[in-house]
């Protein structure tokens, strides 16, 4: 493949990635704003005015700002993976990139909605985990070795969910029942299904370290209080997206 062809593919891919990133972020925000209010509540909680569409954004963070932020993150991650596609053979190139874009779009939308919900309400909808697991199973069907793919999904779910469950148990023993929500455990397990057994431990480590660094920085800058709860879904989502591209 000559240099000119590589430049054409690069420009085409960047253009596609930009369009996909904007559309993915836009769809994610719109779906978040129209979610049933009951999805954003605890099981024993009734929806209130704070769960309405107009109350779901974050202070001065407008809908346009959230769309731009999500699109920028998705675009940067897609471009980071561009080199891998350029190194692929010409045979099956278009099919592979289309499947990749579709998979990333679905995963990104679900994780973006989960992150926004957790940041705003400290709630991660159960439906997010269900969609992620179903997506993982569907993509496993597309693999040549389906048995190995399904086994990989199962191992990823068990490893990621198991590590998060152990963390939740230890946190509850030392800091009380509200130290970590079970929604974080379910989201981590479903993300483990997406990335598979080889990367399940990685998303746990990346998410844990990232959230810990952010929390410590917040404590040092006196932005957070030591007893203040923090949203874990954004860090789980970030770790999952990183592992999806690496994989």
């Amino acid at each position: 493949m000559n240099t000119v062809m590589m430049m054409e593919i690069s420009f085409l891919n960047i253009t596609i990635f930009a369009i996909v990133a904007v559309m993915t972020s836009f769809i994610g925000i719109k779906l978040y704003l129209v979610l049933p209010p009951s999805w954003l509540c605890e099981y024993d909680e009734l929806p209130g005015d704070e769960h309405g569409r107009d109350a779901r954004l974050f202070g001065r963070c407008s809908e346009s700002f959230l769309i731009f932020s999500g699109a920028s993150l998705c675009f940067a991650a897609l471009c980071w993976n561009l080199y891998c596609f350029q190194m692929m053979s010409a045979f099956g190139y278009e099919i592979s990139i289309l499947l990749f874009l579709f998979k990333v779009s679905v995963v990104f939308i679900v994780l973006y909605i989960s992150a926004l919900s957790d940041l705003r309400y400290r709630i991660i909808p159960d439906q997010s985990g269900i969609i992620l697991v179903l997506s993982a199973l569907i993509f496993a069907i597309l693999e040549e070795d389906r048995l190995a793919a399904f086994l990989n999904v199962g191992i990823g779910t068990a490893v990621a969910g198991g590590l998060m469950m152990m963390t939740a148990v230890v946190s509850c023993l030392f800091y009380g029942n509200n130290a970590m929500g079970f929604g974080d455990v379910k989201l981590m397990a479903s993300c483990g299904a997406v990335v598979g057994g080889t990367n399940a431990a990685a998303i746990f480590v990346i998410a844990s370290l990232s959230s810990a660094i952010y929390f410590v920085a917040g404590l040092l800058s006196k932005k957070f209080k030591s007893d203040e709860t923090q949203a874990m879904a954004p860090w789980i989502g970030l770790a999952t997206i990183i592992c999806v591209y690496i994989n």
Side-chain angles (χ1 to χ4, degrees):
M1 185 178 296
N2 56 43
T3 305
V4 176
M5 186 62 179
M6 289 288 286
M7 292 177 62
E8 289 176 354
I9 291 178
S10 298
F11 178 76
L12 175 61
N13 284 347
I14 289 175
T15 303
I16 294 175
F17 288 172
I19 295 173
V20 170
V22 173
M23 291 180 60
T24 298
S25 182
F26 178 82
I27 293 173
I29 292 296
K30 291 301 181 181
L31 288 177
Y32 167 70
L33 293 176
V34 299
L35 287 180
S38 58
W39 289 18
L40 305 174
C41 301
E42 297 286 357
Y43 297 121
D44 58 349
E45 180 184 4
L46 294 176
D49 294 338
E50 68 274 13
H51 297 101
R53 176 190 175 98
D54 296 334
R56 294 187 183 183
L57 300 180
F58 310 85
R60 297 181 180 180
C61 295
S62 65
E63 184 178 335
S64 299
F65 174 79
L66 291 175
I67 292 174
F68 174 78
S69 301
S72 299
L73 176 62
C74 187
F75 177 72
L78 287 169
C79 287
W80 179 75
N81 197 66
L82 178 61
Y83 178 75
C84 297
F85 286 113
Q86 290 182 334
M87 299 303 294
M88 292 169 61
S89 62
F91 179 74
Y93 180 86
E94 292 81 3
I95 296 177
S96 296
I97 196 173
L98 288 176
L99 287 176
F100 174 79
L101 290 175
F102 179 73
K103 178 179 181 179
V104 170
S105 296
V106 172
V107 172
F108 186 88
I109 288 173
V110 176
L111 292 177
Y112 198 31
I113 291 174
S114 301
L116 293 173
S117 174
D118 199 18
L119 285 169
R120 180 67 178 86
Y121 300 105
R122 295 298 186 267
I123 292 290
I124 301 174
D126 291 338
Q127 291 78 6
S128 296
I130 295 173
I131 294 173
L132 287 174
V133 172
L134 289 177
S135 300
L137 293 174
I138 291 173
F139 283 107
I141 294 175
L142 301 177
E143 296 289 339
E144 293 183 3
D145 191 344
R146 294 178 182 176
L147 179 59
F150 282 123
L151 183 60
N152 194 35
V153 169
I155 294 175
T157 303
V159 172
L163 289 172
M164 201 65 173
M165 176 62 78
M166 287 190 293
T167 303
V169 171
V170 173
S171 299
C172 288
L173 291 176
F174 285 94
Y175 302 104
N177 293 331
N178 295 324
M180 180 179 291
F182 193 63
D184 297 326
V185 177
K186 291 183 285 187
L187 182 63
M188 179 67 79
S190 59
C191 288
V194 172
V195 302
T198 55
N199 292 315
I203 62 171
F204 172 79
V205 173
I206 294 173
S208 299
L209 290 178
S210 300
S211 61
I213 292 173
Y214 178 73
F215 184 65
V216 170
L219 289 178
L220 294 177
S221 63
K222 297 183 179 180
K223 183 179 179 180
F224 304 141
K225 297 179 180 178
S226 58
D227 58 347
E228 185 176 352
T229 60
Q230 298 296 318
M232 191 68 185
W235 305 109
I236 296 176
L238 178 63
T240 302
I241 290 296
I242 290 174
C243 289
V244 166
Y245 294 120
I246 291 176
N247 192 40

